[in-house]
Amino acid sequence: MFDPTVFENLKVVAEGAVYDLDLAGAILVTNRRDVIDLASMSRTYSIAFMLREAEYDITALFSLTADVKNLAGEILEDTAFLPGCALQLQFLFPISSPALFVEQIDEQLHLIWGEERSITQVISYEYNKEPLSYSNTATVLFQKTITEEHAEDLSAVVDHMVETIERLQELLTI
């Protein structure tokens, strides 16, 4: 038998936090992936969800990634590499008029997630068609490596994701 890695432990905590909300009826899990990439020796876990009682189609995506350097730092106890994981959150939703909403969305995301997070928005539409609506992918990137010391914070991260969806709903349905 072997000890689970930081990635495994954090994955279990995050998955539990999301499924607790799903079982309580607050959210609906729409997708889950647990990928091992043998070419790059990396792991990625992601889980997508949305509000059950949603007026607006907003999907939240929680992604945890550990690459070979993170795993080597942990397994080999090599101080040259940081054991832990990268955490990225995404919010995917249609938007009718980017010019009206992107600044307000950015402001709301910074209010919820703080100024120390890297927050981006990518607006897209299908080429060669008159866009009736655009797709917005808002990404919140945690720039520090997440370790087991942050495990208790992951349920708060999931709660903040739900809050983000709710605030985006309010903003976009005006």
Side-chain angles (χ1 to χ4, degrees), residues 60-81:
L61 181 67
F62 177 102
S63 296
L64 201 59
T65 303
D67 64 16
V68 70
K69 291 178 182 177
N70 299 126
L71 294 171
E74 180 177 358
I75 295 168
L76 301 175
E77 298 179 8
D78 187 341
T79 57
F81 303 114

Side-chain angles (χ1 to χ4, degrees), residues 40-53:
S40 65
M41 294 302 295
S42 65
R43 298 271 320 260
T44 301
Y45 171 76
S46 63
I47 189 163
F49 59 89
M50 56 194 329
L51 295 180
R52 279 199 193 266
E53 304 297 323

Side-chain angles (χ1 to χ4, degrees), residues 18-136:
V18 170
Y19 277 112
D20 283 349
L21 290 174
D22 183 64
L23 289 171
I27 64 171
L28 175 67
V29 173
T30 58
N31 197 4
R32 184 175 64 84
R33 296 181 52 158
D34 193 352
V35 178
I36 299 172
D37 185 340
L38 295 176
S40 65
M41 294 302 295
S42 65
R43 298 271 320 260
T44 301
Y45 171 76
S46 63
I47 189 163
F49 59 89
M50 56 194 329
L51 295 180
R52 279 199 193 266
E53 304 297 323
E55 294 178 36
Y56 206 80
D57 183 22
I58 301 173
T59 298
L61 181 67
F62 177 102
S63 296
L64 201 59
T65 303
D67 64 16
V68 70
K69 291 178 182 177
N70 299 126
L71 294 171
E74 180 177 358
I75 295 168
L76 301 175
E77 298 179 8
D78 187 341
T79 57
F81 303 114
L82 288 174
C85 305
L87 177 59
Q88 176 179 289
L89 313 175
Q90 289 186 310
F91 301 91
L92 305 98
F93 51 94
I95 186 170
S96 59
S97 179
L100 292 175
F101 294 109
V102 292
E103 286 184 35
Q104 294 172 332
I105 291 167
D106 188 64
E107 182 180 303
Q108 286 299 312
L109 292 173
H110 278 97
L111 283 173
I112 295 168
W113 297 103
E115 294 298 324
E116 65 276 4
R117 307 278 180 260
S118 172
I119 297 175
T120 60
Q121 292 183 70
V122 175
I123 311 296
S124 61
Y125 66 94
E126 188 175 344
Y127 173 72
N128 226 8
K129 292 199 176 181
E130 185 65 34
L132 299 174
S133 79
Y134 300 83
S135 296
N136 188 341

